[in-house]
Amino acid sequence: MNSKLGWLLALLLIAPITNVMAQAEAPYREFDPMEDYLPHVKGDLRLSGSYKHWKDPKNLDWRMAGNPDENWKLNWKFMDPPFNASVHGGHFALDRGETIFKELNVKGRFAACLGARKGNLKGLRAAYPMYRPELKQVAGLEEMIERCAAKAGRVLQNGSYDNSAVSLYIANQSVGMPIKINVTSAGPLQAAYERGRKLFHTRAGRFNLACSSCHTYQIGLHLRGTVVTSPYGDVAHYPVYRTRYQLQSLHLRFAECNLDTRTQPLLPGSRPYTDIEVFLTGLTNGYPVSVPSERD
Amino acid sequence: MRTGNKFFGLTTFIVGSLLAMAASGSDLPADFAANPAAVNMTQQPKVVVNSGLLEWQPFSRDLTLWPSLSYDDKRPTPKPRLVKLEEPLNGDPARGRELAMARDKGYCIVCHELPGEVWAGTVGALLLKFKQHNYPNELVFQQIFDSRAFNPISVMPPYGTFGILNEQEIRDLVAYLQSLE
């Protein structure tokens, strides 16, 4: 611990500088060191190197899934189709989603409201989150489902089973298509990506942890029984069927990680969660939509 | 190392500053998953099969006290604190061990290996045979109270500054670690 005395001195010297930098309206916050992510699933090769194990079925080594020390390198992809062919709760949700979608889309207005060209849902999931001019903001697919269903007089709250079921049905029309959102050209989506990246590195909650404290800096390490995986490629399998929690949207997974790390969770569809979604979707660019999937 | 007012006396404990940080129900950020009327304001989602409504249930503890990721949350994160330990330590190692295992107290085993724990975490340093290091109590106390004093980007929670453990509890933990041969 002797080298820590050096840290201590450094801290005393740095403290006044950070004070000046903290602006009046921005409260004092701490951040993990910023990582230079690549907005494409290949970026994982630099971060954790696990991508080579899960990028395609041919290379998926099933023996790794049964080994707690190797499991994380598969990024749980052995639970996604086509690797996981079992019938699970996600398939029932898919049927439910189809029924609701068809009820809402009798005149084709629901699909149009979601941004489908000529009623064609193919590729729609791979292009979300997107900037919605009518809202003057970036929105995730589940937020749009809630808004568009409301126009048709139906309540589909963001995060509810039925909302996620419709989202899953829409995602299912893009199975195998690579996620593709542009977060590098200047514009609202890129701004949201940058805000999301910053949030991902922002310390919060009772334990003063950031998402990146685990998902960037502790990949492959044990937190009691669980092992942290790479943040690349996760978004492609949402909404996901959780054997313990039923159907879970991506924002509800954020809330779960917030609660697990004793940080006040936010509402699904909130601006910060949408920004983190844009960030993580950027990191999933190039990976195929993989639903209906399962996680324990 | 002791440069006068850089240290906070432990008598002026942090409970006051934490309470000042707590938002009252009316000025909670609008995007908090919280019920201002509840004792524990924090709510957790419950997905109900075949329903368009998302249900919320009270969470086991109130997390509205600490800074969140909401853009409307203007409360500052408590800054790193240097503390001065008054000897004698007067810690109870047995109580310290309990605190190290308890989920809503130290829960040190989530990151550290400690004797007698099979599913320990591997994020933090090994704490087995801790006594061999011969660290002064004061350093160990500071590491638990607020590890940011040694490492600004430490992932170890600032137990003292954030009010997770009180002074006596940290003394008990120091005594426990110093007893590990």
Side-chain angles (χ1 to χ4, degrees):
Chain A
M1 253 200 268
N2 272 342
S3 68
K4 284 175 181 161
L5 295 179
W7 272 115
L8 199 128
L9 288 176
L11 186 85
L12 293 178
L13 293 174
I14 292 166
I17 305 170
T18 32
N19 276 347
V20 175
M21 274 164 28
Q23 314 225 317
E25 73 289 4
Y28 172 72
R29 286 279 179 276
E30 293 176 350
F31 302 91
D32 278 358
M34 195 49 88
E35 170 76 21
D36 189 17
Y37 301 91
L38 191 70
H40 190 278
V41 74
K42 280 187 203 145
D44 177 71
L45 289 174
R46 196 166 61 200
L47 182 66
S48 84
S50 70
Y51 181 51
K52 60 176 182 286
H53 298 291
W54 46 270
K55 69 191 234 208
D56 64 90
K58 288 189 293 290
N59 288 344
L60 202 95
D61 182 346
W62 289 90
R63 286 163 303 179
M64 288 167 73
N67 178 344
D69 289 323
E70 300 255 77
N71 194 331
W72 69 269
K73 295 181 193 163
L74 297 177
N75 207 13
W76 289 94
K77 297 304 175 195
F78 56 95
M79 298 286 271
D80 294 346
F83 318 117
N84 174 2
S86 67
V87 174
H88 53 72
H91 294 87
F92 302 120
L94 198 53
D95 293 344
R96 172 84 179 163
E98 178 170 13
T99 307
I100 299 172
F101 180 87
K102 288 185 170 153
E103 283 166 12
L104 285 169
N105 201 42
V106 182
K107 298 198 179 95
R109 283 199 204 122
F110 185 61
C113 175
L114 295 173
R117 296 224 176 94
K118 295 186 184 144
N120 187 356
L121 296 180
K122 208 167 159 53
L124 194 61
R125 170 64 170 80
Y128 263 102
M130 62 171 75
Y131 178 73
R132 300 300 305 178
E134 73 276 26
L135 302 175
K136 296 195 175 63
Q137 67 183 25
V138 171
L141 179 55
E142 287 88 16
E143 175 179 349
M144 291 309 293
I145 290 171
E146 178 171 13
R147 289 180 186 276
C148 297
K151 281 192 190 162
R154 181 152 184 171
V155 179
L156 290 184
Q157 286 180 344
N158 199 337
S160 69
Y161 182 93
D162 283 355
N163 181 308
S164 297
V166 172
S167 175
L168 191 54
Y169 171 71
I170 293 168
N172 199 46
Q173 315 304 311
S174 302
V175 164
M177 294 176 73
I179 300 274
K180 191 167 185 263
I181 65 166
N182 182 345
V183 293
T184 47
S185 310
L189 209 54
Q190 189 221 24
Y193 176 88
E194 286 304 332
R195 284 194 304 272
R197 187 169 77 129
K198 189 172 175 199
L199 278 175
F200 199 76
H201 285 253
T202 305
R203 298 290 188 95
R206 187 171 181 247
F207 299 144
N208 207 32
L209 290 174
C211 313
S212 60
S213 308
C214 293
H215 289 291
T216 301
Y217 295 106
Q218 312 289 350
I219 298 172
L221 292 178
H222 289 255
L223 291 166
R224 294 215 92 187
T226 53
V227 180
V228 188
T229 56
S230 163
Y232 283 91
D234 276 345
V235 167
H237 70 263
Y238 277 87
V240 67
Y241 174 70
R242 296 291 301 277
T243 48
R244 283 178 295 158
Y245 303 93
Q246 277 297 338
L247 200 56
Q248 189 179 49
S249 73
L250 186 65
H251 289 204
L252 288 193
R253 175 74 231 203
F254 299 166
E256 183 183 337
C257 270
N258 270 167
L259 285 165
D260 280 351
T261 56
R262 300 293 186 259
T263 301
Q264 172 61 38
L266 307 178
L267 297 173
S270 59
R271 288 306 96 201
Y273 278 4
T274 303
D275 290 343
I276 295 176
E277 176 180 0
V278 172
F279 170 63
L280 291 179
T281 307
L283 300 196
T284 306
N285 268 335
Y287 200 77
V289 173
S290 315
V291 292
S293 65
E294 189 181 23
R295 289 284 183 281
D296 59 5
Chain B
M1 205 172 89
R2 275 177 220 169
T3 50
N5 63 4
K6 294 286 181 202
F7 285 91
F8 293 80
L10 281 173
T11 38
T12 60
F13 212 60
I14 36 79
V15 174
S17 63
L18 258 187
L19 287 183
M21 223 171 74
S24 70
S26 55
D27 50 51
L28 283 184
D31 55 3
F32 268 23
N35 173 6
V39 184
N40 274 354
M41 292 192 261
T42 302
Q43 303 285 302
Q44 60 181 335
K46 180 169 190 284
V47 175
V48 184
V49 182
N50 295 345
S51 168
L53 300 178
L54 181 62
E55 270 186 26
W56 294 91
Q57 296 179 331
F59 187 62
S60 57
R61 55 169 51 245
D62 193 352
L63 304 174
T64 60
L65 282 155
W66 291 275
S68 67
L69 293 180
S70 170
Y71 292 131
D72 299 327
D73 195 336
K74 300 294 183 200
R75 299 165 298 168
T77 296
K79 292 200 174 157
R81 298 187 73 146
L82 291 175
V83 288
K84 184 172 155 295
L85 174 71
E86 300 291 349
E87 299 270 12
L89 181 60
N90 285 336
D92 174 354
R95 178 88 190 108
R97 181 178 159 81
E98 275 170 37
L99 290 165
M101 306 293 158
R103 188 166 178 130
D104 271 317
K105 281 296 182 180
Y107 209 37
C108 320
I109 34 152
V110 80
C111 296
H112 290 287
E113 272 192 61
L114 286 166
E117 175 58 34
V118 186
W119 284 105
T122 54
V123 170
L126 276 170
L127 298 179
L128 306 166
K129 300 189 185 157
F130 189 75
K131 194 180 171 195
Q132 71 187 5
H133 298 302
N134 276 320
Y135 294 139
N137 287 339
E138 192 174 28
L139 277 192
V140 184
F141 188 90
Q142 176 70 57
Q143 173 75 27
I144 304 172
F145 192 96
D146 197 332
S147 60
R148 296 174 298 173
F150 300 124
N151 175 5
I153 57 163
S154 173
V155 292
M156 180 161 150
Y159 287 97
T161 307
F162 276 45
I164 304 166
L165 299 172
N166 65 33
E167 178 183 344
Q168 185 56 49
E169 289 171 327
I170 299 177
R171 285 174 182 269
D172 294 342
L173 277 162
V174 175
Y176 166 57
L177 293 181
Q178 300 286 40
S179 77
L180 297 177
E181 295 191 51

